[in-house]
Amino acid sequence: MTLEMVTPLRGLVYRLVVAVDVEGYSKLDALDQSLVQSRLSDVLDVAARKAGLDRDLWYRQVRGDGELAVLPPDADAAWVVAHFTEQLAEALADLRRAGTPLRLRVAMHCGPLTAGAFGLVGDAPIVTCRLLDAKVVRDALAATDDDLVLAISQQLHDDVVRTRFHELDPTRFRSTRFRVKSRPYSGYVCTGAPRLGWTNG
């Protein structure tokens, strides 16, 4: 998928950005990478559909082992954090039961961005990708039996998770700080889905 095949962005906008990345992708051979990409695409489609979201309306930038997506301006950030993440965790649990497990890091942040000649530009995609690639987030996924770890920015936590809308459970998130290229970042990490009472069943 190329940038031209997804919903265009015009001008500077303020949007929710979602990034996903598959654990251990680079260690796979070409055939397994292809299979993983297909499973990832299916899982994202299923999770979005069950959460009532239309991925055809997302501006999507494919990363090989993942995706960087900008959601529409009317996206309910609390709903996405709560329900899309939960449906994603449940779809991953289904894959594990089927014997084809997939483990994901997911990152989310709201902020300014626009489309450039080679992809998204602006603070929002940078912060989202820094969260996604942070060692603390990679370590959190490596240390859990869950197949999903969610990292969100400090701002998204303060503005969305703390509201407890859609049964978001702030106690499932733990604070984290890290530094990349001399710039400090702060956010929150959640293993599994972030809704009240969720268990990986």
Side-chain angles (χ1 to χ4, degrees):
M1 179 180 297
T2 64
L3 292 175
E4 290 74 24
M5 295 173 65
V6 294
T7 304
L9 290 173
R10 293 184 176 87
L12 186 68
V13 297
Y14 190 91
R15 299 281 182 83
L16 176 64
V17 180
V18 178
V20 299
D21 189 273
V22 176
E23 181 185 59
Y25 180 85
S26 62
K27 298 177 182 177
L28 303 175
D29 61 29
L31 176 59
D32 283 340
Q33 286 181 351
S34 176
L35 294 172
V36 163
Q37 286 188 8
S38 295
R39 287 202 295 271
L40 176 61
S41 179
D42 290 344
V43 160
L44 293 172
D45 284 342
V46 167
R49 185 177 69 252
K50 288 187 174 181
L53 304 171
D54 186 353
R55 289 185 73 229
D56 289 338
L57 301 179
W58 297 9
Y59 179 101
R60 289 181 276 159
Q61 183 175 316
V62 176
R63 294 161 42 112
D65 58 349
E67 179 179 280
L68 183 65
V70 181
L71 274 64
D74 60 350
D76 180 341
W79 181 271
V80 175
V81 174
H83 290 279
F84 176 65
T85 305
E86 180 175 71
Q87 292 300 333
L88 196 52
E90 290 184 358
L92 293 172
D94 288 342
L95 278 183
R96 180 165 291 280
R97 284 190 287 268
T100 55
L102 196 67
R103 290 168 57 78
L104 298 181
R105 301 188 317 279
V106 181
M108 300 185 188
H109 173 59
C110 273
L113 58 91
T114 190
F118 294 97
L120 297 171
V121 296
D123 191 61
I126 291 174
V127 171
T128 307
C129 290
R130 294 291 191 237
L131 287 166
L132 187 71
D133 295 332
K135 184 178 184 301
V136 65
V137 180
R138 292 177 182 272
D139 290 347
L141 183 58
T144 183
D145 291 332
D146 286 305
D147 289 321
L148 181 147
V149 165
L150 170 66
I152 63 171
S153 63
Q154 175 81 49
Q155 178 182 334
L156 196 60
H157 177 270
D158 293 348
D159 292 348
V160 173
V161 173
R162 287 176 59 188
T163 69
R164 295 184 291 113
F165 268 58
H166 306 303
E167 296 184 305
L168 282 168
D169 183 1
T171 67
R172 291 187 58 81
F173 291 81
R174 62 181 176 87
S175 177
T176 184
R177 297 178 184 274
F178 58 96
R179 184 176 292 270
V180 179
K181 296 182 179 179
S182 300
R183 178 178 173 182
Y185 293 88
S186 59
Y188 283 77
V189 178
C190 169
T191 13
R195 292 182 72 216
L196 189 65
W198 182 87
T199 56
N200 188 350

